[in-house]
């Protein structure tokens, strides 16, 4: 199946003979295989008499050789999985030794923050989970998700994005639209042996929300912003490089050393916001973040600190 898709990924016509010869089946069997691909991966394949078959939208497929070459940790590439974070945690539970990276072409139950789902169509975006062992206790976790946001922002810039920035704690927005998200999940006891799964989702070549999924917030993709298809293997290489750099800085010097850089990329610095904390809402002006990555808000003249992954920040209309 994969070799067929690889041939078709350019979006050009390929004859039944060519495809049949490449995968070693008869011309007649090819159409059956392509129909199975369409159904399984939610793809559109056009069949035109005399010309052959072509994908409605070209794809930039991930290639394990390229992914492995750009990573300093072992990589597993899965075609379809419920969630790369869930898979990374399962591997941990069955004895896999971090660091390692799990990447998928499609997620059927991609997880977002605060119980949301994450749209994960086949072959278009990036679903990336890096598992690390935490040896320095809670300190090593402080500000970690914000640092991952910085690395991801740099990777987006390396791919040609010039606008946009971060929204506390770790959303990446362009023109108010989400282009990427980060979900950290912990396994074990932070006071003892503990592992973190750094889950990263980046909208790379997505042009439309998948038919089967409603995306309940404004979104964009690298393709939409840049106006052209992006090579996903190259994007992963840039992301690997940036993560390695920023995670090393964070491990050696803590979040304090990256705090000013983070604030400089914070889109809502100085703005009036409403912070939803469970049933309560707190209104205040964003002062920045502290050395542990907690949000500093000026609430009626008093500085207050907020931390935790379950908080949601909204811009206030009059800011
Ligand atoms: C968010 O809500 O902003 C976080 C989205 C995180 C999505 C990524 S995709 C790879 C990894 N696997 C998941 O199931 N979720 C994360």
């Amino acid at each position: 199946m994969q070799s067929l898709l690889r041939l078709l990924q350019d979006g050009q016509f390929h004859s039944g003979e060519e495809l049949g010869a490449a995968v070693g089946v008869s011309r007649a069997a090819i159409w059956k295989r392509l129909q199975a691909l369409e159904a399984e991966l939610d793809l559109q394949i056009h069949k035109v008499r005399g010309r052959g078959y072509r994908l409605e939208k070209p794809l930039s497929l991930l290639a394990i050789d390229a992914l492995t070459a750009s990573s300093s940790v072992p990589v597993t590439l899965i075609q379809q999985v419920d969630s790369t974070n869930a898979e990374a945690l399962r591997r941990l539970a069955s004895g896999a030794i971090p660091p390692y990276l799990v990447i998928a072409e499609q997620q059927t139950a991609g997880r977002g923050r605060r119980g949301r789902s994450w749209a994960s169509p086949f072959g278009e975006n990036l679903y990336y989970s890096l598992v690390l062992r935490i040896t320095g206790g809670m300190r090593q976790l402080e500000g970690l998700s914000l640092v991952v946001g910085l690395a991801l922002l740099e990777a987006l810039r390396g791919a040609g994005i010039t606008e946009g920035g971060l929204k506390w704690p770790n959303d990446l927005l362009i023109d108010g639209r989400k282009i990427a998200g980060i979900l950290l999940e912990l396994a074990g006891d932070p006071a003892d042996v503990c592992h973190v799964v750094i889950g990263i989702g980046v909208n790379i070549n997505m042009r439309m929300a998948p038919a089967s999924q409603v995306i309940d917030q404004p979104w964009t993709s690298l393709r939409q912003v840049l106006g052209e298809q992006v090579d996903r293997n190259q994007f992963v290489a840039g992301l690997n490089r940036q993560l390695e750099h920023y995670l090393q800085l964070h491990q050696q010097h803590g979040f304090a050393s990256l705090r000013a850089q983070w604030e400089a990329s914070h889109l809502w610095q100085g703005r009036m916001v409403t912070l939803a904390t469970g049933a309560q809402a707190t209104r205040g002006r964003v002062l920045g973040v502290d050395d542990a990555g907690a949000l500093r808000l000026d609430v009626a003249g008093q500085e207050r600190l907020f931390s935790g992954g379950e908080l949601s920040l909204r811009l206030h209309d009059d800011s």
Side-chain angles (χ1 to χ4, degrees):
M1 287 294 215
Q2 286 319 304
S3 42
L4 262 184
L5 257 190
R6 259 177 220 294
L7 285 169
L8 287 166
Q9 67 173 320
D10 59 8
Q12 305 293 316
F13 276 108
H14 294 268
S15 69
E17 281 92 0
E18 178 198 343
L19 298 177
V23 294
V25 300
S26 73
R27 237 180 77 183
I30 281 293
W31 180 227
K32 273 219 171 82
R33 293 218 177 175
L34 293 178
Q35 280 177 311
L37 270 181
E38 274 194 316
E40 194 186 320
L41 304 176
D42 215 358
L43 295 171
Q44 288 281 335
I45 298 171
H46 294 310
K47 176 184 182 191
V48 174
R49 194 181 287 274
R51 301 192 70 186
Y53 306 93
R54 74 169 182 83
L55 275 182
E56 185 191 38
K57 296 184 276 182
L59 290 172
S60 157
L61 291 176
L62 295 169
I64 187 65
D65 295 357
L67 297 177
T68 303
S70 72
S71 173
S72 58
V73 307
V75 186
T76 303
L77 172 62
I78 305 173
Q79 293 305 308
Q80 189 186 64
V81 73
D82 52 352
S83 145
T84 53
N85 268 25
E87 177 63 23
L89 286 165
R90 282 192 294 267
R91 284 172 185 241
L92 202 52
S94 53
I97 297 172
Y100 59 86
L101 182 55
V102 178
I103 297 180
E105 283 286 18
Q106 180 179 28
Q107 295 185 125
T108 53
R111 327 212 261 233
R113 286 180 57 232
R114 293 183 292 119
R116 284 175 135 144
S117 62
W118 186 257
S120 310
F122 177 85
E124 297 190 339
N125 298 329
L126 177 64
Y127 320 116
Y128 176 111
S129 295
L130 173 65
V131 187
L132 300 177
R133 186 185 158 94
I134 298 295
T135 47
M138 281 308 282
R139 251 211 90 237
Q140 211 185 321
L141 293 169
E142 280 174 1
L144 179 61
S145 76
L146 281 73
V147 170
V148 173
L150 261 185
L152 188 45
L153 184 62
E154 285 307 314
L156 290 171
R157 293 201 168 132
I161 296 283
T162 51
E163 324 118 80
L166 300 160
K167 176 194 141 189
W168 185 90
N170 50 25
D171 281 349
L172 282 100
L173 303 180
I174 295 181
D175 236 347
R177 299 173 173 277
K178 190 146 160 170
I179 192 164
I182 297 164
L183 177 69
L184 261 52
E185 296 190 65
L186 282 180
D189 178 0
D192 189 18
V193 179
C194 154
H195 296 101
V196 64
V197 179
I198 298 175
I200 298 178
V202 186
N203 297 335
I204 297 193
N205 287 322
M206 186 156 71
R207 296 185 235 206
M208 291 188 271
S212 52
Q213 209 171 355
V214 176
I215 305 183
D216 59 357
Q217 53 191 333
W219 64 272
T220 190
S221 66
L222 271 161
R223 192 200 158 92
Q224 287 195 349
V225 179
L226 301 173
E228 60 187 17
Q229 175 153 293
V230 170
D231 182 320
R232 291 186 304 144
N233 293 298
Q234 239 172 44
F235 182 83
V236 173
L239 178 60
N240 287 337
R241 228 180 5 255
Q242 296 297 345
L243 273 172
E244 226 173 279
H245 172 70
Y246 280 97
L247 290 175
Q248 195 178 5
L249 285 180
H250 180 246
Q251 196 182 14
Q252 285 171 350
H253 309 291
F255 179 68
S257 66
L258 292 163
R259 176 180 157 185
Q261 192 186 344
W262 193 91
E263 287 182 343
S265 299
H266 191 207
L267 294 166
W268 291 6
Q269 200 69 13
R271 309 285 301 265
M272 279 305 290
V273 295
T274 301
L275 184 77
T277 43
Q280 273 195 336
T282 309
R283 211 183 139 198
R285 189 169 297 282
V286 176
L287 298 172
V289 288
D290 75 356
D291 282 349
L295 183 73
R296 296 168 53 226
L297 278 191
D298 176 340
V299 181
Q302 285 224 318
E303 181 173 329
R304 288 180 57 190
L305 286 175
F306 297 88
S307 54
E310 298 310 308
L311 305 179
S312 135
L313 200 59
R314 301 219 167 277
L315 210 50
H316 218 271
D317 298 339
D318 57 356
S319 74

